[in-house]
Amino acid sequence: MTHSTERPSVTTPPTTDLDEATALRLQLADQLVTAGHIRTPPVDQALRTVPRHAFAPEVPVRKAYANDIVATRHSDEGLITSSISAPWLQADMLEAARLQPGHRVLEIGSGGYNAALIAELVDPTGHVTTVDIDPAVTERATRFLTQTGYDHVHVVTTDAEHLPTGIVPDGGFDAILVTVDTWDLPWIDALAEDGRLVAPLRLHGYTWAITFTKRDGALHSDEPLIVCGFVAMQGAGAWTANRRTIPGTGVHLSWEDGTPLPVDQLAPALTREPVVAHTQVIVRGQEPFDALTLYLAGALPGFCRLSVDPDGENGVLNPPPKHWPGAAIVRGTSLARLATERIGDGDDGNGLYEFVVHGYGPHGHLAAQEMAEQVLHWQRNHRAALCPRITVHPLADGDDPASTADSAHVFVKRHTRVAIGWPIIPGTAALLTDDDGRYLLHLRSANKPIWRPGQWALLGGNTEQGETCDQAIARELDEEIGLAVPDLTGFVTLDTLDARGAFKDRVRVYHGTLNTPAHEIELREGIQLRWTRIEEIAEMTTDPGTAAVLHAHHNAHQPRGRQNAALPVVEVREPRDHRSRSIVGAHLVLIRDGAVLLGKRHPSSAFAPSTWHLPAGHREDLESAVTCMVREAEEETGLRIPERDLSLVHVLDLLDPGSTTPRIGLFFAPSRWEGEPLVREPECCTEWRFWPLDALPEPTVEYTRVALDAISRGSLYAPMGWS
């Protein structure tokens, strides 16, 4: 994300005739001011006052004042378990916390130095409590705080997941700063209303330092997100990567938020060359794109993080770096992952890259296309936003996390529900007319994966980060035709909806006049320019949104819209595909000695509670029915059945009462299998039992009875519910 470029009103004292530590401390503060991390005089004064080297006596003074972390404790495996954070990040977080004299502040994750900085900011009228789970860390912090004159800081050894009774002041803390990598935020109740919480929160494997204000019992982010790294939370709040390894490849997929999916079936996908879906979305070499990965994590079901063993032959092109795992999705036997391709050096020499998506497996092209479409959606609607808005609500007793776990841009944690809202920043388009009442259209390339390829459309494009729409349309016209149109004014807002009526994209349309022949205009992008009359657009391959805007202008009796005013809305809906869509389910008909295997559904099951049913499940995205059957059989019963040993024995064409979506039930019988049925999903099924085909138990799912009866009669197809 971006940082504020506003410079603080701070003064820097001279650094001559000072001891080395003081000179280095003031020099570091100067660097942080110049870089924009220090933005207010109190934070500046704190960083110039507290002796950082006194909290890191094991390292040379120069290293203590480097703009980097100082590791202070390691695990037996060599992992850093405690450190003094990088000064730039400490300054950013302290600025975001907006600490004032008299504030009561909780720091989670001790070290001493940051607590001393906080103590300087809240002065003796405030109170600072710092907690850590490691007694060695709190002993060290206590010792150094005492030696440096900050012995009034309250140091507590505890697991911060559950704060001890009496540690939270009446009314809650005015601010909470978390300095360890945390997967959840269980401290909402400990924060005062209107209090500030700054925490490095993990969302789908990446960590962002996020600043929240508590309002009406929930946390609301109000600062740009900062990509960062901290030591991992220990104790009850520790997170698990939920990592799965694709056999024999050295490729690992992690689901920290969301349900892990099977990965064994993905090994063959990595033995073939991937397909590449180009997005035409460009990023500069030093430009962060963490907002895109966060957007994809919420927008794509089955999202995960992909990492690889550095020395393995895994078939992954353009592997992600070790500490920045790639964005990926799993679709049955296929997967796709976000990557980049260098397309030039860029103006700064750091490179210019295009986002591409690599698809692996038999349906890798479809998975890649799905991810690429979301990249384009982010580009058109959200990229120009400074940051998303994050809201965190505590989970109340009795809440069902599963009820919202699959919602787009919602992450359900142990204690909280995290919802991410993405501001829509409109694209821009220019409706240019001449004195003859014609409209200037340009033909878009049909050979690029761009919006409306091969169609006639208005000039314009996306708003870039930090731009207003007025600035964006002026830039786009300069880039596309090299002209400035002085009288541009807002005309309408064009909203594109999909066939179901869901929002897809928004464009602010400007109207202006231009009386230059098309052949005299230098077209820098696209194929061709043309002045077009309204009656001609029906004979052209015209973007539907463009056609709607032209008709709105043609039918208007007076000019619409004003600069910076709310504009009338023109909606255009994409055509509906009237072909029927069905839900596909796979059902296992395992018969042994004249008896069929049935399972008793759990009493709290959403479908057919306390009722007998075949092992079954719905096909997942881009998964064949027979692959679904193999997966469901192993997940539910532990039985291992090769696909080649399954035969289709029945098709049930089912329309449930009151439903408008048909279901196709495919029933497969195995010729052989390995293992005995086990209850692998006790939350869904309580037992497996073989029942004689002529004496099925009560109650049995009705369509299961119908299908088994048809199978016993040798009937391959049966309709149910259509009459």
PDB file of all heavy atoms in Angstrom, residues 422-443:
ATOM      1  N   TRP A 422     -14.062  -3.455  -0.425  1.00  0.00           N
ATOM      2  CA  TRP A 422     -13.196  -2.885  -1.457  1.00  0.00           C
ATOM      3  C   TRP A 422     -13.889  -1.690  -2.098  1.00  0.00           C
ATOM      4  O   TRP A 422     -14.876  -1.853  -2.806  1.00  0.00           O
ATOM      5  CB  TRP A 422     -12.868  -3.939  -2.509  1.00  0.00           C
ATOM      6  CG  TRP A 422     -11.991  -5.021  -1.962  1.00  0.00           C
ATOM      7  CD1 TRP A 422     -12.371  -6.195  -1.386  1.00  0.00           C
ATOM      8  CD2 TRP A 422     -10.560  -4.991  -1.910  1.00  0.00           C
ATOM      9  NE1 TRP A 422     -11.281  -6.913  -0.978  1.00  0.00           N
ATOM     10  CE2 TRP A 422     -10.151  -6.191  -1.298  1.00  0.00           C
ATOM     11  CE3 TRP A 422      -9.593  -4.087  -2.333  1.00  0.00           C
ATOM     12  CZ2 TRP A 422      -8.812  -6.500  -1.097  1.00  0.00           C
ATOM     13  CZ3 TRP A 422      -8.267  -4.391  -2.127  1.00  0.00           C
ATOM     14  CH2 TRP A 422      -7.877  -5.587  -1.522  1.00  0.00           C
ATOM     15  N   PRO A 423     -13.382  -0.474  -1.868  1.00  0.00           N
ATOM     16  CA  PRO A 423     -13.993   0.707  -2.497  1.00  0.00           C
ATOM     17  C   PRO A 423     -13.954   0.594  -4.013  1.00  0.00           C
ATOM     18  O   PRO A 423     -12.969   0.137  -4.595  1.00  0.00           O
ATOM     19  CB  PRO A 423     -13.118   1.868  -2.003  1.00  0.00           C
ATOM     20  CG  PRO A 423     -12.405   1.341  -0.793  1.00  0.00           C
ATOM     21  CD  PRO A 423     -12.228  -0.122  -1.024  1.00  0.00           C
ATOM     22  N   ILE A 424     -15.035   1.011  -4.642  1.00  0.00           N
ATOM     23  CA  ILE A 424     -15.096   1.013  -6.102  1.00  0.00           C
ATOM     24  C   ILE A 424     -14.623   2.373  -6.609  1.00  0.00           C
ATOM     25  O   ILE A 424     -15.207   3.407  -6.285  1.00  0.00           O
ATOM     26  CB  ILE A 424     -16.528   0.728  -6.592  1.00  0.00           C
ATOM     27  CG1 ILE A 424     -16.959  -0.678  -6.171  1.00  0.00           C
ATOM     28  CG2 ILE A 424     -16.622   0.886  -8.104  1.00  0.00           C
ATOM     29  CD1 ILE A 424     -18.413  -0.978  -6.446  1.00  0.00           C
ATOM     30  N   ILE A 425     -13.558   2.370  -7.356  1.00  0.00           N
ATOM     31  CA  ILE A 425     -13.042   3.578  -7.981  1.00  0.00           C
ATOM     32  C   ILE A 425     -13.395   3.503  -9.463  1.00  0.00           C
ATOM     33  O   ILE A 425     -12.878   2.644 -10.181  1.00  0.00           O
ATOM     34  CB  ILE A 425     -11.519   3.711  -7.809  1.00  0.00           C
ATOM     35  CG1 ILE A 425     -11.142   3.576  -6.335  1.00  0.00           C
ATOM     36  CG2 ILE A 425     -11.038   5.028  -8.394  1.00  0.00           C
ATOM     37  CD1 ILE A 425     -11.735   4.643  -5.432  1.00  0.00           C
ATOM     38  N   PRO A 426     -14.304   4.367  -9.947  1.00  0.00           N
ATOM     39  CA  PRO A 426     -14.777   4.210 -11.331  1.00  0.00           C
ATOM     40  C   PRO A 426     -13.660   4.376 -12.346  1.00  0.00           C
ATOM     41  O   PRO A 426     -12.705   5.142 -12.149  1.00  0.00           O
ATOM     42  CB  PRO A 426     -15.806   5.333 -11.478  1.00  0.00           C
ATOM     43  CG  PRO A 426     -16.165   5.739 -10.087  1.00  0.00           C
ATOM     44  CD  PRO A 426     -14.936   5.495  -9.267  1.00  0.00           C
ATOM     45  N   GLY A 427     -13.796   3.650 -13.437  1.00  0.00           N
ATOM     46  CA  GLY A 427     -13.008   3.962 -14.604  1.00  0.00           C
ATOM     47  C   GLY A 427     -13.587   5.202 -15.270  1.00  0.00           C
ATOM     48  O   GLY A 427     -14.580   5.781 -14.805  1.00  0.00           O
ATOM     49  N   THR A 428     -12.975   5.615 -16.340  1.00  0.00           N
ATOM     50  CA  THR A 428     -13.439   6.831 -17.003  1.00  0.00           C
ATOM     51  C   THR A 428     -13.593   6.595 -18.496  1.00  0.00           C
ATOM     52  O   THR A 428     -12.909   5.746 -19.093  1.00  0.00           O
ATOM     53  CB  THR A 428     -12.447   7.988 -16.790  1.00  0.00           C
ATOM     54  OG1 THR A 428     -11.162   7.618 -17.296  1.00  0.00           O
ATOM     55  CG2 THR A 428     -12.317   8.330 -15.311  1.00  0.00           C
ATOM     56  N   ALA A 429     -14.509   7.343 -19.107  1.00  0.00           N
ATOM     57  CA  ALA A 429     -14.715   7.275 -20.554  1.00  0.00           C
ATOM     58  C   ALA A 429     -15.129   8.653 -21.042  1.00  0.00           C
ATOM     59  O   ALA A 429     -15.720   9.448 -20.302  1.00  0.00           O
ATOM     60  CB  ALA A 429     -15.776   6.237 -20.906  1.00  0.00           C
ATOM     61  N   ALA A 430     -14.807   8.943 -22.299  1.00  0.00           N
ATOM     62  CA  ALA A 430     -15.113  10.248 -22.891  1.00  0.00           C
ATOM     63  C   ALA A 430     -16.127  10.081 -24.016  1.00  0.00           C
ATOM     64  O   ALA A 430     -15.864   9.388 -25.012  1.00  0.00           O
ATOM     65  CB  ALA A 430     -13.838  10.900 -23.419  1.00  0.00           C
ATOM     66  N   LEU A 431     -17.277  10.701 -23.847  1.00  0.00           N
ATOM     67  CA  LEU A 431     -18.301  10.757 -24.881  1.00  0.00           C
ATOM     68  C   LEU A 431     -18.056  12.048 -25.670  1.00  0.00           C
ATOM     69  O   LEU A 431     -18.500  13.131 -25.267  1.00  0.00           O
ATOM     70  CB  LEU A 431     -19.689  10.749 -24.250  1.00  0.00           C
ATOM     71  CG  LEU A 431     -20.883  10.884 -25.190  1.00  0.00           C
ATOM     72  CD1 LEU A 431     -20.976   9.687 -26.116  1.00  0.00           C
ATOM     73  CD2 LEU A 431     -22.169  11.053 -24.400  1.00  0.00           C
ATOM     74  N   LEU A 432     -17.333  11.937 -26.776  1.00  0.00           N
ATOM     75  CA  LEU A 432     -16.943  13.106 -27.557  1.00  0.00           C
ATOM     76  C   LEU A 432     -17.877  13.255 -28.757  1.00  0.00           C
ATOM     77  O   LEU A 432     -18.078  12.306 -29.531  1.00  0.00           O
ATOM     78  CB  LEU A 432     -15.498  12.972 -28.027  1.00  0.00           C
ATOM     79  CG  LEU A 432     -14.447  12.828 -26.911  1.00  0.00           C
ATOM     80  CD1 LEU A 432     -13.052  12.689 -27.501  1.00  0.00           C
ATOM     81  CD2 LEU A 432     -14.516  13.999 -25.945  1.00  0.00           C
ATOM     82  N   THR A 433     -18.442  14.461 -28.907  1.00  0.00           N
ATOM     83  CA  THR A 433     -19.343  14.742 -30.023  1.00  0.00           C
ATOM     84  C   THR A 433     -18.792  15.901 -30.842  1.00  0.00           C
ATOM     85  O   THR A 433     -18.011  16.722 -30.359  1.00  0.00           O
ATOM     86  CB  THR A 433     -20.743  15.109 -29.512  1.00  0.00           C
ATOM     87  OG1 THR A 433     -20.643  16.246 -28.646  1.00  0.00           O
ATOM     88  CG2 THR A 433     -21.358  13.951 -28.722  1.00  0.00           C
ATOM     89  N   ASP A 434     -19.231  15.955 -32.111  1.00  0.00           N
ATOM     90  CA  ASP A 434     -18.860  17.100 -32.946  1.00  0.00           C
ATOM     91  C   ASP A 434     -20.108  17.921 -33.255  1.00  0.00           C
ATOM     92  O   ASP A 434     -21.213  17.591 -32.812  1.00  0.00           O
ATOM     93  CB  ASP A 434     -18.141  16.647 -34.213  1.00  0.00           C
ATOM     94  CG  ASP A 434     -19.019  15.830 -35.159  1.00  0.00           C
ATOM     95  OD1 ASP A 434     -20.238  15.692 -34.880  1.00  0.00           O
ATOM     96  OD2 ASP A 434     -18.491  15.335 -36.175  1.00  0.00           O
ATOM     97  N   ASP A 435     -19.927  18.972 -34.020  1.00  0.00           N
ATOM     98  CA  ASP A 435     -21.049  19.875 -34.297  1.00  0.00           C
ATOM     99  C   ASP A 435     -22.092  19.256 -35.206  1.00  0.00           C
ATOM    100  O   ASP A 435     -23.206  19.796 -35.347  1.00  0.00           O
ATOM    101  CB  ASP A 435     -20.521  21.178 -34.928  1.00  0.00           C
ATOM    102  CG  ASP A 435     -19.734  22.013 -33.933  1.00  0.00           C
ATOM    103  OD1 ASP A 435     -19.890  21.758 -32.719  1.00  0.00           O
ATOM    104  OD2 ASP A 435     -18.962  22.900 -34.365  1.00  0.00           O
ATOM    105  N   ASP A 436     -21.762  18.120 -35.834  1.00  0.00           N
ATOM    106  CA  ASP A 436     -22.736  17.422 -36.682  1.00  0.00           C
ATOM    107  C   ASP A 436     -23.526  16.376 -35.912  1.00  0.00           C
ATOM    108  O   ASP A 436     -24.286  15.601 -36.510  1.00  0.00           O
ATOM    109  CB  ASP A 436     -22.021  16.745 -37.859  1.00  0.00           C
ATOM    110  CG  ASP A 436     -21.443  17.755 -38.841  1.00  0.00           C
ATOM    111  OD1 ASP A 436     -22.021  18.861 -38.951  1.00  0.00           O
ATOM    112  OD2 ASP A 436     -20.415  17.451 -39.478  1.00  0.00           O
ATOM    113  N   GLY A 437     -23.320  16.302 -34.570  1.00  0.00           N
ATOM    114  CA  GLY A 437     -24.067  15.345 -33.757  1.00  0.00           C
ATOM    115  C   GLY A 437     -23.527  13.929 -33.825  1.00  0.00           C
ATOM    116  O   GLY A 437     -24.229  12.972 -33.473  1.00  0.00           O
ATOM    117  N   ARG A 438     -22.279  13.764 -34.271  1.00  0.00           N
ATOM    118  CA  ARG A 438     -21.680  12.429 -34.344  1.00  0.00           C
ATOM    119  C   ARG A 438     -20.862  12.141 -33.084  1.00  0.00           C
ATOM    120  O   ARG A 438     -20.497  13.048 -32.338  1.00  0.00           O
ATOM    121  CB  ARG A 438     -20.793  12.323 -35.589  1.00  0.00           C
ATOM    122  CG  ARG A 438     -21.544  12.499 -36.902  1.00  0.00           C
ATOM    123  CD  ARG A 438     -20.601  12.389 -38.087  1.00  0.00           C
ATOM    124  NE  ARG A 438     -19.535  13.384 -38.041  1.00  0.00           N
ATOM    125  CZ  ARG A 438     -18.526  13.445 -38.903  1.00  0.00           C
ATOM    126  NH1 ARG A 438     -18.437  12.549 -39.898  1.00  0.00           N
ATOM    127  NH2 ARG A 438     -17.587  14.380 -38.799  1.00  0.00           N
ATOM    128  N   TYR A 439     -20.580  10.847 -32.884  1.00  0.00           N
ATOM    129  CA  TYR A 439     -19.844  10.390 -31.704  1.00  0.00           C
ATOM    130  C   TYR A 439     -18.524   9.768 -32.141  1.00  0.00           C
ATOM    131  O   TYR A 439     -18.466   9.014 -33.121  1.00  0.00           O
ATOM    132  CB  TYR A 439     -20.656   9.347 -30.936  1.00  0.00           C
ATOM    133  CG  TYR A 439     -22.006   9.851 -30.479  1.00  0.00           C
ATOM    134  CD1 TYR A 439     -23.160   9.567 -31.208  1.00  0.00           C
ATOM    135  CD2 TYR A 439     -22.123  10.627 -29.330  1.00  0.00           C
ATOM    136  CE1 TYR A 439     -24.395  10.032 -30.783  1.00  0.00           C
ATOM    137  CE2 TYR A 439     -23.355  11.100 -28.903  1.00  0.00           C
ATOM    138  CZ  TYR A 439     -24.492  10.796 -29.639  1.00  0.00           C
ATOM    139  OH  TYR A 439     -25.707  11.269 -29.223  1.00  0.00           O
ATOM    140  N   LEU A 440     -17.454  10.068 -31.395  1.00  0.00           N
ATOM    141  CA  LEU A 440     -16.141   9.503 -31.704  1.00  0.00           C
ATOM    142  C   LEU A 440     -15.978   8.160 -30.981  1.00  0.00           C
ATOM    143  O   LEU A 440     -15.970   8.106 -29.751  1.00  0.00           O
ATOM    144  CB  LEU A 440     -15.021  10.461 -31.282  1.00  0.00           C
ATOM    145  CG  LEU A 440     -13.607  10.013 -31.671  1.00  0.00           C
ATOM    146  CD1 LEU A 440     -13.457   9.974 -33.199  1.00  0.00           C
ATOM    147  CD2 LEU A 440     -12.550  10.923 -31.053  1.00  0.00           C
ATOM    148  N   LEU A 441     -15.853   7.093 -31.755  1.00  0.00           N
ATOM    149  CA  LEU A 441     -15.651   5.746 -31.205  1.00  0.00           C
ATOM    150  C   LEU A 441     -14.314   5.204 -31.688  1.00  0.00           C
ATOM    151  O   LEU A 441     -13.812   5.591 -32.750  1.00  0.00           O
ATOM    152  CB  LEU A 441     -16.776   4.808 -31.640  1.00  0.00           C
ATOM    153  CG  LEU A 441     -18.207   5.205 -31.261  1.00  0.00           C
ATOM    154  CD1 LEU A 441     -19.185   4.140 -31.737  1.00  0.00           C
ATOM    155  CD2 LEU A 441     -18.340   5.426 -29.769  1.00  0.00           C
ATOM    156  N   HIS A 442     -13.760   4.292 -30.889  1.00  0.00           N
ATOM    157  CA  HIS A 442     -12.546   3.627 -31.354  1.00  0.00           C
ATOM    158  C   HIS A 442     -12.723   2.125 -31.247  1.00  0.00           C
ATOM    159  O   HIS A 442     -13.412   1.608 -30.369  1.00  0.00           O
ATOM    160  CB  HIS A 442     -11.311   4.123 -30.603  1.00  0.00           C
ATOM    161  CG  HIS A 442     -11.017   3.437 -29.308  1.00  0.00           C
ATOM    162  ND1 HIS A 442     -11.898   3.389 -28.272  1.00  0.00           N
ATOM    163  CD2 HIS A 442      -9.908   2.771 -28.897  1.00  0.00           C
ATOM    164  CE1 HIS A 442     -11.353   2.735 -27.252  1.00  0.00           C
ATOM    165  NE2 HIS A 442     -10.154   2.344 -27.613  1.00  0.00           N
ATOM    166  N   LEU A 443     -12.118   1.426 -32.199  1.00  0.00           N
ATOM    167  CA  LEU A 443     -12.218  -0.033 -32.276  1.00  0.00           C
ATOM    168  C   LEU A 443     -11.108  -0.636 -31.437  1.00  0.00           C
ATOM    169  O   LEU A 443      -9.916  -0.381 -31.674  1.00  0.00           O
ATOM    170  CB  LEU A 443     -12.103  -0.495 -33.727  1.00  0.00           C
ATOM    171  CG  LEU A 443     -12.191  -2.004 -33.971  1.00  0.00           C
ATOM    172  CD1 LEU A 443     -13.542  -2.547 -33.527  1.00  0.00           C
ATOM    173  CD2 LEU A 443     -11.949  -2.311 -35.449  1.00  0.00           C
TER     174      LEU A 443
END
